[in-house]
Amino acid sequence: MKKVSIVMGSDSDLPVIQKAIAILNELEIPFEVHVFSAHRTPEQARTFSLEARDKGFGVLIAAAGMAAHLAGAIAANTTLPVIGIPCKGPVLDGLDALLSTVQMPSGIPVATVGVNNGANAALLAAEILSVGDAELTQRLQQKRERDTAAVLEKDAGIAARL
Ligand code: RP5
């Protein structure tokens, strides 16, 4: 199976990507985690992006906060699908990172999930990889059913908590 890479702009973004890591583990998808910054280590981010396809990656996830150019900088150097996670920073509640990540010019797409939504980034990566992979498709379907059952359990228990 192709690997997923998770790149974060700083190790301070780790709490956000922990949610992605948990889901990739749950779905038995191989992954690597790196810290590269569009601004602090631009050469390393560029080299990683250029080599990603040959290194066996199928989807790249990039998490960054503030002036969050990491996902776009990675997407500029690969035709692999790139998923951006805008991370909430100390000011502006993540709106800065959201706009920096989502407002890409035509021709260089970044599939941007919600602020701090590492879970959706991992699920979207899994859905992309599941195209043409029947076993992963089945694991995704089973996860969806577990998640649905968990919500229905909350519905059944909510009255007792009021
Ligand atoms: C961004 O700046 C990083 O992705 C992080 O969200 C933010 C702050 O980084 P640190 O100063 O905590 O290293 O590039």
Side-chain angles (χ1 to χ4, degrees):
M1 185 193 297
K2 296 282 186 190
K3 295 180 288 184
V4 171
S5 92
I6 304 177
V7 180
M8 52 190 149
S10 166
D11 61 354
S12 64
D13 299 319
L14 188 56
V16 173
I17 68 128
Q18 293 285 19
K19 299 174 217 161
I21 289 170
I23 286 174
L24 294 176
N25 278 328
E26 183 181 353
L27 293 171
E28 300 170 43
I29 294 173
F31 63 90
E32 283 184 19
V33 179
H34 296 280
V35 178
F36 296 129
S37 166
H39 307 117
R40 293 166 173 162
T41 60
E43 287 310 318
Q44 288 79 0
R46 179 173 182 275
T47 301
F48 177 80
S49 317
L50 289 170
E51 295 176 348
R53 189 181 290 274
D54 287 343
K55 288 192 168 173
F57 293 104
V59 183
L60 310 179
I61 295 173
M66 302 176 72
H69 299 133
L70 182 61
I74 288 173
N77 290 303
T78 183
T79 52
L80 288 171
V82 176
I83 300 170
I85 310 174
C87 298
K88 191 171 173 174
V91 294
L92 301 178
D93 274 343
L95 184 60
D96 45 357
L98 174 63
L99 297 179
S100 301
T101 304
V102 77
Q103 286 286 41
M104 289 296 293
S106 294
I108 309 294
V110 168
T112 305
V113 297
V115 174
N116 281 5
N117 205 327
N120 271 1
L123 287 168
L124 182 54
E127 289 174 358
I128 292 168
L129 290 180
S130 76
V131 175
D133 184 331
E135 289 183 13
L136 180 55
T137 299
Q138 189 179 18
R139 292 202 292 279
L140 264 170
Q141 184 59 34
Q142 288 165 344
K143 174 165 176 50
R144 182 69 65 91
E145 287 164 15
R146 285 195 298 276
D147 292 349
T148 299
V151 175
L152 293 176
E153 202 172 311
K154 289 177 185 173
D155 175 58
I158 195 69
R161 294 168 55 195
L162 302 180

